[in-house]
Amino acid sequence: MKTIKLGLLIFLALCAGCTQKKDNSNAVSINVSFTAQANMDELDGRLFLMLSTNDDDEPRFQINDGPQGQLIFGMNVDKMAPGQKITFTEKIFGYPYASLADVPAGEYYAQALLHTYETFNLSTGHTVKLPMDNGEGQQWNRSPGNLYSKPFKITVTENGIPEFTIEMDQKIQPIPEAADTEWIKHIKLKSEKLSAFYGKDTYLGAHVLLPKGYENHPEAKYPLMIFHGHFPKDFGGFRTTPPDPKLEPEFSQRFQVDGYNIFQQQEAYDFYKRWNDPEFPRFLIVEIQHPTPYYDDSYAVNSASQGPYGDAITYELIPHIEEKFRGMGEGWSRFLYGGSTGGWEALAVQVKYPDAYNGCFAACPDPIDFRAFCLTNIYEDKNAYYYDTTHKKTEVPSHRDYLGQVQSTLREGNHLELVLGDKSRSGQQWDIWEATFSPQNTDGYPQRIWDKMTGEINPEVADYWQENYDLRYILERDWSKLGDKLKGKIHIYCGDMDNYYLNNAVYLMEDFLENTTNPYYDGEVTYGDRAEHCWNGDPEQPNHVSRLRYNSMYVPKIMQRIAESAPPGADLTSWRYKF
């Protein structure tokens, strides 16, 4: 017994010594500053230090939670002045290594970037600091005005990271606005509703594709197709010339298709030809720009922390577009479609504004039933990151391929977001859901649905999500009021091997919709066999083809819906002209 005790004491002493030695040898001190030549005064924001073992691109473009993601560490800065040195130590949280002290020995390319914040005095009475979009679609690594350094090589030894200094002497330049063409017009509208909420001028944008013969038929008024989705720099998938013969073919890693860039140009040109076909119906097609300080897209609904984007889009932007470009301006003539974020928006906007639109085509929508918030049931699960087990910790996956192979977990993605920004300010997926669905906290930022470090779910916030944004729950709760308004308007498509497990929520929604009888929903829910994100309802073509045909693939169903639902006396002819 004495021998065991003596051995234990020696072991503990040795371990204590080892721990102390590791902490001392891995102490980190990396200083970051920005030059006065950047012509910037004191700045607020999120300061990043990035390390990459891959020299194919700058570290700032290699940060993700996938298998090839590189290293990043982040902290808030307030009133950082030119020349002031901010020090990264081993205590600063990072991803995929929690501490700089954990970075393995090797050669790395180092880079720093400051993602700048603005101060907003919200109409709720709160003052918050947020990264407003600067024309790039809320991308921290590309946002104009952000400061950064050029990458340079460092060596990490077995003793840790050597002390060094980074000076940010580069500034991301403004992005030129898209120019009008014969076919595509651009709208920028100051929203009175959003400006009042944020305490400063806030704008909505749109790219409008005009129908053939628009100028020659001033008597015509047009139905409106709204393509929801992530921030569009310009109207996509429309090209008036054949593919560039000098274009070098590029391999698509996502779709495993060689020459996909050439194929995309061909599809865009083919759509142009379909758009000009004498038999093609004449529509206005709109892609909306509505980035927020939390994401590249507002999710097109009103929310406590982001403001009244739903009302601003439906009651300010859409009527403005219809007035300017001779839209019908009536609910029966407006249709919604989109995939992923845009799929959720199409369905949510149809549900939230049932009389303002006449049909939605929601492809691979973000979670539409929060009992399947990807792989988390926010009402019953206690933790989002780990399965409820007794003797082992099994992490909840967040991304897979069509064979079920997992590339990342829920904890990993959320920890990366926590590095990119606290208080839901990462500009990434889990945070925008929080910024959209959560009540506002006492500090003016969104309340957490779960603890970002541990994954522990807040049931009170979950209840708020359910009452306000769980689309299946809302439909079931309010079907007696919404059923007649939504009959024939709901169309949902999803691959049964969606990379983000979004099909699970679609199954639950289908269970409800197919069992509605008073009235029956009279729409469709369809699945793609072994199809990944973002399958949109075409059983004949693979994802990499059908995803390029959104603007024409639902037109036959829209025409059928118009024929079945247009009110007596509706204009069904002025926009059906031929050449």
Side-chain angles (χ1 to χ4, degrees):
M1 182 63 73
K2 289 182 179 179
T3 302
I4 294 175
K5 288 183 177 179
L6 179 60
L8 179 59
L9 289 173
I10 293 172
F11 173 76
L12 292 174
L14 289 173
C15 284
C18 291
T19 301
Q20 185 176 5
K21 183 178 179 181
K22 184 178 188 296
D23 286 344
N24 287 337
S25 65
N26 285 353
V28 178
S29 180
I30 301 171
N31 296 311
V32 180
S33 64
F34 69 88
T35 64
Q37 286 76 15
N39 295 320
M40 304 291 282
D41 295 325
E42 295 180 332
L43 295 172
D44 300 325
R46 188 77 172 177
L47 183 63
F48 301 123
L49 170 66
M50 294 159 283
L51 302 174
S52 174
T53 55
N54 185 342
D55 64 353
D56 289 343
D57 207 340
E58 295 180 46
R60 62 186 169 125
F61 299 129
Q62 300 183 55
I63 305 302
N64 58 72
D65 65 347
Q68 304 305 318
Q70 298 297 318
L71 288 58
I72 185 168
F73 303 83
M75 69 169 94
N76 292 337
V77 293
D78 294 311
K79 297 183 178 179
M80 183 179 179
Q84 177 186 1
K85 293 183 178 179
I86 303 295
T87 303
F88 281 83
T89 71
E90 68 277 7
K91 295 180 180 180
I92 301 301
F93 187 61
Y95 178 86
Y97 300 107
S99 169
L100 281 160
D102 299 328
V103 175
E107 301 290 325
Y108 294 86
Y109 292 90
Q111 186 175 38
L113 182 145
L114 177 62
H115 188 28
T116 58
Y117 290 174
E118 296 180 32
T119 297
F120 295 83
N121 297 306
L122 304 181
S123 63
T124 59
H126 301 95
T127 297
V128 294
K129 294 181 179 181
L130 301 169
M132 195 55 182
D133 175 73
N134 291 302
E136 84 290 351
Q138 197 52 263
Q139 304 295 320
W140 62 269
N141 54 3
R142 301 179 185 273
S143 183
N146 284 353
L147 306 180
Y148 68 101
S149 67
K150 293 182 178 179
F152 62 94
K153 185 178 287 188
I154 67 167
T155 299
V156 177
T157 69
E158 294 297 334
N159 293 324
I161 301 177
E163 181 176 347
F164 64 91
T165 298
I166 300 181
E167 187 175 63
M168 297 181 293
D169 58 359
Q170 307 293 309
K171 184 178 179 181
I172 301 176
Q173 297 303 305
I175 298 173
E177 294 186 359
D180 285 353
T181 70
E182 174 189 358
W183 295 95
I184 300 169
K185 307 300 180 182
H186 303 89
I187 295 293
K188 187 175 182 180
L189 175 71
K190 177 184 174 183
S191 167
E192 298 299 332
K193 296 178 184 295
L194 295 173
S195 298
F197 177 83
Y198 281 105
K200 61 175 61 180
D201 291 351
T202 305
Y203 294 85
L204 295 170
H207 311 310
V208 183
L209 178 63
L210 300 180
K212 183 176 178 60
Y214 176 83
E215 294 293 344
N216 297 327
H217 290 271
E219 79 286 355
K221 291 189 175 182
Y222 302 97
L224 182 69
M225 292 167 51
I226 304 168
F227 186 13
H228 275 292
H230 293 289
F231 182 88
K233 294 180 180 179
D234 203 338
F235 193 95
F238 186 86
R239 181 183 177 89
T240 59
T241 58
D244 182 355
K246 298 180 180 179
L247 192 64
E248 292 292 330
E250 296 177 357
F251 179 74
S252 169
Q253 188 66 38
R254 175 181 177 183
F255 300 113
Q256 297 293 298
V257 174
D258 196 21
Y260 192 53
N261 55 332
I262 299 174
F263 181 79
Q264 286 176 303
Q265 289 194 0
Q266 183 63 54
E267 280 292 319
Y269 180 57
D270 289 345
F271 174 53
Y272 163 74
K273 291 189 291 185
R274 288 195 298 274
W275 192 244
N276 280 271
D277 189 279
E279 300 298 325
F280 197 91
R282 310 304 170 195
F283 288 90
L284 297 170
I285 301 183
V286 174
E287 293 187 16
I288 299 175
Q289 290 181 324
H290 47 117
T292 84
Y294 293 97
Y295 201 51
D296 74 344
D297 185 292
S298 72
Y299 274 72
V301 293
N302 299 340
S303 72
S305 295
Q306 294 193 108
Y309 273 91
D311 287 354
I313 293 169
T314 294
Y315 300 134
E316 291 181 326
L317 181 62
I318 297 303
H320 176 76
I321 292 171
E322 290 174 323
E323 180 179 2
K324 186 173 181 64
F325 298 107
R326 304 200 309 270
M328 295 283 188
E330 300 179 41
W332 68 266
S333 64
R334 299 179 185 138
F335 297 87
L336 306 151
Y337 61 105
S340 193
T341 292
W344 190 92
E345 289 172 333
L347 181 59
V349 170
Q350 184 66 80
V351 171
K352 296 280 187 178
Y353 304 90
D355 296 320
Y357 302 92
N358 196 22
C360 69
F361 301 85
C364 52
D366 287 4
I368 54 179
D369 185 321
F370 296 158
R371 294 173 298 173
F373 191 64
C374 296
L375 289 178
T376 299
N377 184 331
I378 68 169
Y379 310 124
E380 296 183 4
D381 294 344
K382 294 181 180 180
N383 193 288
Y385 297 170
Y386 304 98
Y387 289 107
D388 186 12
T389 57
T390 303
H391 299 295
K392 58 179 275 188
K393 268 192 171 182
T394 301
E395 288 199 40
V396 176
S398 63
H399 188 277
R400 64 178 174 181
D401 66 13
Y402 78 100
L403 295 175
Q405 297 174 338
V406 175
Q407 284 84 33
S408 61
T409 69
L410 195 59
R411 177 192 62 82
E412 291 171 337
N414 277 264
H415 281 191
L416 173 57
E417 289 192 0
L418 190 55
V419 174
L420 294 175
D422 61 354
K423 301 182 184 296
S424 307
R425 292 182 292 189
S426 72
Q428 304 300 303
Q429 186 61 77
W430 301 98
D431 275 353
I432 182 54
W433 284 332
E434 202 165 60
T436 303
F437 305 148
S438 287
Q440 195 176 46
N441 211 341
T442 55
D443 61 2
Y445 299 98
Q447 289 189 31
R448 291 290 195 195
I449 181 63
W450 55 65
D451 185 289
K452 204 72 168 174
M453 280 299 297
T454 68
E456 183 179 353
I457 296 173
N458 185 330
E460 294 182 359
V461 176
D463 289 342
Y464 182 93
W465 281 33
Q466 182 179 54
E467 291 296 326
N468 294 277
Y469 300 100
D470 185 324
L471 299 182
R472 188 277 316 162
Y473 173 82
I474 291 170
L475 285 175
E476 188 169 349
R477 180 192 66 195
D478 299 337
W479 192 251
S480 62
K481 295 180 292 185
L482 292 174
D484 287 329
K485 296 175 180 290
L486 295 177
K487 183 178 180 181
K489 295 184 179 182
I490 296 175
H491 309 263
I492 304 173
Y493 315 97
C494 195
D496 62 14
M497 286 300 290
D498 187 277
N499 302 103
Y500 305 98
Y501 307 91
L502 299 175
N503 50 299
N504 293 359
V506 175
Y507 298 147
L508 296 174
M509 175 67 84
E510 182 187 25
D511 288 343
F512 163 70
L513 291 175
E514 288 297 339
N515 287 291
T516 59
T517 57
N518 190 26
Y520 178 61
Y521 85 108
D522 200 23
E524 62 177 332
V525 180
T526 307
Y527 303 96
D529 179 37
R530 291 193 295 177
E532 294 182 300
H533 193 75
C534 186
W535 189 76
N536 57 6
D538 186 343
E540 304 297 328
Q541 299 291 343
N543 272 6
H544 76 274
V545 176
S546 62
R547 69 187 294 267
L548 303 176
R549 298 179 178 179
Y550 270 104
N551 289 323
S552 57
M553 66 184 301
Y554 302 129
V555 167
K557 296 180 180 182
I558 289 175
M559 292 301 297
Q560 180 180 350
R561 176 67 188 164
I562 287 176
E564 295 172 349
S565 64
D571 178 7
L572 302 180
T573 58
S574 74
W575 49 281
R576 295 302 306 274
Y577 52 80
K578 299 181 181 180
F579 290 89

